[in-house]
């Protein structure tokens, strides 16, 4: 949960801010039941903001994946801005279809998980597709993360 109340305009500004991956060769790590890698991301220009982009893939279910972006404010609590999920589970009205969660000011103000709501999408079918959508949607440029999954 976020301790700061973000407005929709602040959330939009974080999304639109130009960003760059600083470790495009991030390695996959084996975790219990899945693999994960984390990219460090910096806001560009006068924006010195920090972000993290992660990819997570279930080892037994190709449809069970997640790719997300987290805002890391200096001295504040981390805020998940978005998650791009595979079709491995139901989420409300979304039944076993890829979906995108986005943080909203309303969810934050109500004390819910900031990215609790999700919308079905046909923009992605794989973890690599989810990463491509996230990088485009959140204005992340520079050296594209390299797919080095083992």
């Amino acid at each position: 949960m976020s301790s700061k109340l973000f407005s929709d305009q602040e959330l939009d500004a974080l999304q639109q801010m130009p960003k760059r991956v600083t470790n495009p060769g991030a390695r996959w790590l084996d975790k219990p039941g899945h693999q994960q890698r984390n990219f460090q991301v910096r806001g560009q220009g006068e924006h010195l903001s920090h972000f993290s982009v992660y990819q997570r893939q279930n080892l037994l279910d190709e449809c069970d994946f997640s790719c997300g972006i987290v805002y890391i404010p200096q001295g504040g609590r981390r805020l998940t801005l978005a998650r791009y999920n595979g079709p491995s589970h139901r989420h409300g009205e979304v039944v076993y279809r890829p979906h995108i969660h986005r943080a909203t000011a309303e969810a934050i103000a109500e004390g819910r998980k900031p990215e609790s709501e999700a919308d079905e999408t046909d923009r992605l079918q794989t973890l690599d597709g989810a990463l491509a959508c996230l990088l485009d949607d959140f204005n992340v440029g520079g050296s594209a993360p390299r797919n080095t999954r083992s």
Side-chain angles (χ1 to χ4, degrees):
M1 302 293 167
S2 175
S3 56
K4 178 186 182 320
L5 295 181
F6 287 86
S7 69
D8 284 325
Q9 293 79 13
E10 289 172 309
L11 294 171
D12 288 344
L14 288 170
Q15 179 175 350
Q16 295 169 16
M17 175 189 303
K19 302 169 200 69
R20 180 174 298 278
V21 173
T22 62
N23 64 332
R27 297 187 187 274
W28 288 96
L29 299 175
D30 291 327
K31 305 276 186 165
H34 70 275
Q35 283 187 318
Q36 180 173 330
R37 68 177 172 171
N38 298 302
F39 299 101
Q40 298 168 3
V41 179
R42 294 284 308 263
Q44 296 296 288
E46 61 191 64
H47 309 288
L48 297 177
S49 300
H50 295 267
F51 301 84
S52 176
V53 169
Y54 67 85
Q55 287 184 290
R56 195 174 295 140
Q57 177 67 62
N58 184 301
L59 295 173
L60 301 176
D61 182 354
E62 188 173 294
C63 293
D64 187 6
F65 61 82
S66 184
C67 183
I69 184 165
V70 177
Y71 172 53
I72 308 169
Q74 190 168 357
R77 294 178 63 167
R78 299 166 62 98
L79 171 67
T80 298
L81 297 173
R83 287 185 288 125
Y84 294 62
N85 288 353
S88 65
H89 61 280
R90 293 180 64 120
H91 184 81
E93 299 292 318
V94 180
V95 181
Y96 298 101
R97 299 280 300 143
H99 52 279
I100 300 173
H101 297 260
R102 291 197 192 272
T104 65
E106 179 181 0
I108 294 169
E110 292 175 357
R112 294 185 286 133
K113 194 173 193 178
E115 78 287 6
S116 59
E117 299 301 318
D119 293 312
E120 184 175 319
T121 186
D122 61 359
R123 294 176 56 214
L124 59 103
Q125 297 298 321
T126 65
L127 181 59
D128 289 336
L131 179 63
C133 288
L134 183 147
L135 296 177
D136 186 52
D137 292 351
F138 280 83
N139 201 14
V140 180
S143 297
R146 295 188 288 273
N147 188 0
T148 56
R149 193 164 8 155
S150 55

